[in-house]
Amino acid sequence: MERIKLTIDGNPVEVEAGTTILEAAQKIGVHIPTLCYHPELRLEGACRICVVEVEGMRNLVASCVYPVANNMVVKTNSEAVRRARRTIVELLIANHPQDCLVCSRHGECELQDLSRQLGIRKVRFSGEKRDLALDESSYSVVRDPNKCILCGRCVRVCAETQSVSAIGMANRGSDSIVTTPFNLGLAEGPCVGCGQCINVCPVAALREKDDTERVWEALQDSKTHVVVQVAPAVRAALGEEFGLRAGSLVTGKLVTALRKLGFDQVFDTQFAADLTIMEEGHEFISRLQKRENLPLITSCSPGWVSYCERFYPDMLPHVSTCKSPQQMFGALAKTYYAQKAGINPAHIFSVSIMPCTAKKTEAARAEMQASGYRDVDAVITTRELANMIREAGIDFANLSEGEFDLPMGMSTGAGTIFGITGGVMEAALRTVAEMLDGQELPEVEFQQVRGFAGVREATVRIAGQDVRVAIANGLAQANRLLERIKAGEAEYHFIEIMGCPGGCIGGGGQPLSKDPDIRMKRATALYRQDMLKKVRKSHENPAVQELYRSFLGEPNGEKAHQLLHTHYHARSRY
Amino acid sequence: MEDRKCTGCNCQQGQDPRFEELAKVIEEYRDMEGALIMVLHKAQDIFGYLPEDVQKFVAQGLNLPLSEVYGVTTFYSYFSLKPRGKYRIAVCLGTACYVRGAAEIVSAIEKHLNIKVNDTSSDGRFTLEVSRCIGACGLAPVMTVNEDVYGRLTPDKIPEILNRYE
Ligand code: SF4
Ligand code: SF4
Ligand code: SF4
Ligand code: FES
C-alpha cells in the first residue's frame, strides 16, 4: 500500500492512500465534527459539517469523503472553516423544533452537542418549522419527521445493514423528508421494528415507542401482581447509562433496581432461554433424524422472524416453531407461575426488559396469548428501564447486588450467551451434542461459532456425523446467507440468525454509544458471566428440569407445543 | 416471474389490462441501467399518473424497495402522483412575473377552480401548477394552459380565459 504524507493543523501525518482527511485527522487526535457520516455506513458527504480547508483549493472540502494526497496541507479550524460550520448548524437549528427540555434525546443529542461544541449562542436565521404528523403506526419505533435533520443515516442503516429499506428520502429541495412510501407509516411497510435506525439517528427523530407509563401504572396498582423478566444483553449494557465502564456486568444491581421499582417477582429471560434450547434442541434432533426441513433456522429474534415472513416466506418451514424466550416466559408466567404461586393470572401483569424494539411488536402479535391472556403485557427497552431508574431517583452505580427470584430466575451459562451472535447456536450445540453423544462434553465452549463476522460457518462432529452450522447477524448478512443457500452454493443442518449486528447486545433498544468496540465489550461481559456460572448447559438447569417434571411433561410434548410453539405467516411487504 | 405474483393487496392489477402493458415494459427494461426511471416514464404514459398500486407494481417487477421508487417519483417534478386534469395550467413564478403579481394570479385561479396548487379540479378539467421562468418575461405575468400562452394577466381576466376550455 502506498503511504501518503500530509500535514493537518501543522502536524505531519502518514497514512495509507485512500484514507479520508477525516480518518487521517482522527489518527492524530484532531476532532472534526460530523453529522451524516457514520463509521459503519456508506459515505454520503451530504451535510458538509465536516468541511476543512485544503491549501490551494478554492472551496472547502468535506473531509469525510475527501481522500488525502501527498503534501496536502489541511486546516481543520481556520476562520473560513469555523464560519461554514456555524452556518450549517445555525441553519439546522433554525428549522428545528427547539424543545430540548422535553425531548427524549435531551443530553444525548448530536445537534445539541454540535451547538455546544461550536459555542452557538444565537441563530442568525429564522427558519420555517414544519408541522408534520408523527408516525406512531409501529409498536416498536416512532418517527418524528419534524426533528429530522436529513442526515440519511437511518435510510442507509435500514438499506445497507438490514436490507429492508422501509424508509427513504422523498421530495426535493426544502420539501425533502425521510419517510415511508406514500407516508403510509412504518406498520404498513416492510419495517421489522429492529430499531437499528434509532441507534444511528443523531437526534430524536427516531425513538422507541415509550411503554414506561403502562409499566408505572401496573406498578402503582396494588391489586396487580407485576412480574418482570430481563434479557441477557440488558445486564451487559445497562451500566453504560449510569456512567459505568462499557462492558460492565450489572446483573446484581439490575435485580436490586427492579425490586426497588416495585416489581413483585424479578425473573430472568435466561431461564426461558434454557427452556428454548430444550425445545429447539429436541426439534433439531428430530428433524436431523428424519432429514426433514433442514436446515433448521432459529426463531428467537423477532426482527429476523418478521424479515423472513416478508422477504423469505418460502423459508418459513425451516424456521423453528419455538417461540422466543420472551414469549415462552410470558406463556409460563400466567400458567405455570400463576398456578405455583396461587395467583389468578388475570391479576398478573407481565413485563419484559429487552435490548430490542422488535420485541414490542412480537409481544403484540395476536397469537401470543397461549395463557388465555396477553402473555407479555409490556416490553420496555434497556434505555426505557434506565429512564425509569433515573426517574425513581435510584443511585444505580451504588446499589447492592441482588439475586433473581426462583424458580424462573434460575439459569445457566448457555442461557446467558443467547444475547450474542453465535450464542444460541453454541447453547444448542452444548445440549444437542450431549444428548446425541450420550456422554459429557469434553469442552463446553464452541469457539468455532464465536466471533463478529457477518456470516460464519463451522462443522461440528456430533455422534459420528458432521453437523454443518452457519450463523448470520444483521439482516443484510442473513440475506447474503439465504441467497447462497437458495443458489445451492451452501448447505447446512442448523442456522442461527439474529436480526441485529452482534446479536441482542447490539439491539435497537440498547444504550446509545459511540464506542466502536461497544458490541465486543458487551459480548465479553456475557462470555465472562457464562464462565462464572456453575451450570453452563441448558439441560442441566434444575428449575427447567422441574418445570418439565411437574408441569410440561416431555420436551416437544403436547403441553409444550400448546404453550411454547407457534406458527408464522407469509406477509406482504406493502 | 416468481416475484410478481399477487401479494394479496387490493390493487386492480387483476382486472386492468394496463398492468399487462406495464408488465411488458418492465420485462423489456429490467436489466438495463437506469431501468427505474425509464419504466416510470412509460408507466406515467400508460396510466396518466403514478398511483400507489402502479408504483408498487414497478417496485415488485424491478425487485427494488418501494421506498426507492417513491423517492424517485417524488423527486422529479415530471412525475405526478395524482391524476392530472385535461388542461395543465402553469403559472410562471420567475422573478419578473413574481414582481408583476403572479401570486395574485395564482390566488385568482385557486379561487375560481376551488383548488390549491398541484391539485386537480373536481371535474377533472384543470390541474394547477407553478413553474420557473419560462422566458416570456416581456409579457409578465404569464401563464400557460397546455400549449397556449397568456401574458399581461390580471386576476379579473382569469374566469374568462379558463371558461374557454371545455
Ligand atoms: S432532537 Fe436534540 S436538538 Fe432537537 S429538541 Fe431534541 S434534544 Fe433538542
Ligand atoms: S426499525 Fe429496522 S426495519 Fe424498521 S425502519 Fe428502522 S432500521 Fe428499518
Ligand atoms: S430520522 Fe434521524 S437518522 Fe434519519 S435522516 Fe432524520 S435525523 Fe438522520
Ligand atoms: S459528515 Fe461529512 S458531509 Fe456530512
Side-chain angles (χ1 to χ4, degrees), chain B residues 33-98:
Chain B
E33 198 154 324
L36 177 57
I37 302 254
M38 293 190 280
V39 169
L40 288 172
H41 265 273
K42 296 273 180 191
Q44 182 152 301
D45 290 346
I46 297 170
F47 291 86
Y49 70 113
L50 296 171
E52 222 176 285
D53 52 357
V54 169
Q55 293 192 44
K56 287 180 183 169
F57 192 85
V58 170
Q60 221 154 49
L62 293 174
N63 202 12
L64 291 172
L66 183 60
S67 54
E68 192 177 326
V69 175
Y70 182 72
V72 169
T73 56
T74 55
F75 185 83
Y76 295 103
S77 56
Y78 172 84
F79 295 123
S80 175
L81 275 69
K82 294 190 217 157
R84 292 210 227 201
K86 191 168 162 198
Y87 304 106
R88 245 173 97 185
I89 308 169
V91 181
C92 175
L93 284 190
T95 317
C97 288
Y98 194 84

Side-chain angles (χ1 to χ4, degrees), chain A residues 164-173 179-184 572-574, chain B residues 7 9 50-52 55-56 63-67 70-71 74-77 81:
Chain A
V164 172
S165 292
I167 42 183
M169 290 277 179
N171 306 335
R172 71 188 302 166
T179 186
T180 53
F182 307 96
N183 290 317
L184 289 177
S572 154
R573 249 172 269 175
Y574 298 107
Chain B
T7 54
C9 64
L50 296 171
E52 222 176 285
Q55 293 192 44
K56 287 180 183 169
N63 202 12
L64 291 172
L66 183 60
S67 54
Y70 182 72
T74 55
F75 185 83
Y76 295 103
S77 56
L81 275 69

Side-chain angles (χ1 to χ4, degrees), chain A residues 411-434:
Chain A
S411 70
T412 73
T416 305
I417 57 175
F418 252 66
I420 319 163
T421 169
V424 176
M425 179 61 71
E426 180 167 349
L429 290 174
R430 289 179 189 177
T431 287
V432 167
E434 283 202 358

Side-chain angles (χ1 to χ4, degrees), chain A residues 86-243:
Chain A
R86 294 181 77 103
T87 304
I88 292 168
V89 174
E90 282 180 54
L91 284 168
L92 287 173
I93 296 176
N95 289 305
H96 193 81
Q98 293 155 33
D99 55 2
C100 300
L101 282 177
V102 291
C103 178
S104 63
R105 275 297 186 90
H106 191 188
E108 275 190 304
C109 169
E110 291 184 31
L111 185 55
Q112 273 186 340
D113 292 349
L114 273 174
S115 175
R116 188 180 49 198
Q117 193 191 329
L118 304 190
I120 290 173
R121 291 291 169 268
K122 66 168 193 281
V123 172
R124 287 166 293 165
F125 317 102
S126 67
E128 205 181 309
K129 309 257 188 313
R130 288 172 296 186
D131 189 16
L132 303 165
L134 294 191
D135 175 2
E136 297 185 285
S137 62
S138 150
Y139 287 105
S140 297
V141 179
V142 176
R143 294 190 315 111
D144 180 354
N146 300 306
K147 293 215 165 146
C148 174
I149 56 173
L150 298 170
C151 69
R153 277 152 50 165
C154 58
V155 174
R156 281 173 282 154
V157 90
C158 191
E160 294 167 26
T161 312
Q162 299 300 63
S163 269
V164 172
S165 292
I167 42 183
M169 290 277 179
N171 306 335
R172 71 188 302 166
S174 59
D175 291 330
S176 294
I177 49 167
V178 165
T179 186
T180 53
F182 307 96
N183 290 317
L184 289 177
L186 287 171
E188 296 303 313
C191 171
V192 300
C194 68
Q196 288 302 313
C197 52
I198 300 175
N199 288 7
V200 298
C201 181
V203 290
L206 288 160
R207 51 189 189 247
E208 68 270 88
K209 178 121 184 178
D210 188 337
D211 287 304
T212 54
E213 255 336 293
R214 288 171 50 227
V215 177
W216 282 122
E217 252 167 53
L219 288 171
Q220 256 130 45
D221 178 3
S222 56
K223 289 193 284 302
T224 305
H225 184 80
V226 192
V227 302
V228 63
Q229 56 167 316
V230 193
V234 176
R235 65 206 69 187
L238 181 65
E240 296 162 32
E241 290 273 351
F242 300 97

Side-chain angles (χ1 to χ4, degrees), chain A residues 235-525:
Chain A
R235 65 206 69 187
L238 181 65
E240 296 162 32
E241 290 273 351
F242 300 97
L244 298 177
R245 202 169 24 82
S248 302
L249 199 57
V250 295
T251 320
K253 292 186 195 311
L254 168 58
V255 171
T256 305
L258 291 169
R259 289 230 169 80
K260 281 186 180 276
L261 284 171
F263 289 98
D264 295 300
Q265 292 287 311
V266 181
F267 289 139
D268 199 343
T269 310
Q270 290 182 185
F271 165 85
D274 284 331
L275 180 61
T276 303
I277 291 302
M278 295 301 290
E279 291 296 319
E280 198 160 342
H282 278 89
E283 186 183 17
F284 176 62
I285 290 171
S286 135
R287 290 202 199 184
L288 187 68
Q289 281 163 351
K290 292 192 217 143
R291 302 269 148 195
E292 189 179 85
N293 280 340
L294 291 171
L296 174 69
I297 311 180
T298 57
S299 58
C300 41
S301 163
W304 148 243
V305 169
S306 291
Y307 184 76
C308 191
E309 289 182 321
R310 286 166 178 79
F311 291 84
Y312 288 94
D314 51 330
M315 295 297 262
L316 286 173
H318 293 277
V319 179
S320 163
T321 60
C322 288
K323 287 181 186 171
S324 71
Q326 163 176 287
Q327 294 305 137
M328 287 199 183
F329 183 99
L332 291 174
K334 295 192 183 182
T335 54
Y336 174 62
Y337 168 72
Q339 241 174 57
K340 240 179 134 72
I343 298 171
N344 179 352
H347 295 155
I348 295 180
F349 191 85
S350 163
V351 177
S352 76
I353 319 275
M354 291 285 143
C356 174
T357 47
K359 289 273 168 199
K360 290 174 184 267
T361 302
E362 181 187 41
R365 285 171 76 119
E367 60 272 25
M368 296 300 175
Q369 309 196 13
S371 62
Y373 304 88
R374 182 169 152 160
D375 293 332
V376 175
D377 293 290
V379 179
I380 60 171
T381 61
T382 313
R383 289 191 297 261
E384 287 171 275
L385 174 62
N387 290 341
M388 289 183 71
I389 293 172
R390 267 189 289 268
E391 188 175 352
I394 296 169
D395 177 11
F396 186 82
N398 294 312
L399 287 179
S400 60
E401 309 279 313
E403 297 270 351
F404 284 110
D405 289 309
L406 297 177
M408 291 169 75
M410 185 178 284
S411 70
T412 73
T416 305
I417 57 175
F418 252 66
I420 319 163
T421 169
V424 176
M425 179 61 71
E426 180 167 349
L429 290 174
R430 289 179 189 177
T431 287
V432 167
E434 283 202 358
M435 289 199 293
L436 286 177
D437 280 336
Q439 61 186 47
E440 197 178 326
L441 278 176
E443 172 56 62
V444 191
E445 293 179 4
F446 287 80
Q447 292 290 343
Q448 62 270 49
V449 300
R450 296 190 181 183
F452 285 100
V455 174
R456 308 188 294 284
E457 50 180 37
T459 303
V460 184
R461 191 91 189 145
I462 298 176
Q465 64 171 314
D466 282 339
V467 175
R468 289 191 46 72
V469 305
I471 293 132
N473 61 120
L475 292 171
Q477 302 297 329
N479 177 298
R480 223 180 87 201
L481 177 64
L482 295 175
E483 286 305 318
R484 280 182 50 211
I485 293 171
K486 283 179 104 168
E489 291 162 18
E491 236 183 313
Y492 304 100
H493 298 102
F494 197 2
I495 295 174
E496 176 207 287
I497 296 180
M498 294 196 190
C500 290
C504 317
I505 47 166
Q510 290 281 60
L512 302 166
S513 173
K514 292 206 190 91
D515 184 342
D517 300 321
I518 192 66
R519 293 191 276 257
M520 216 249 302
K521 289 177 182 168
R522 292 172 183 163
T524 309

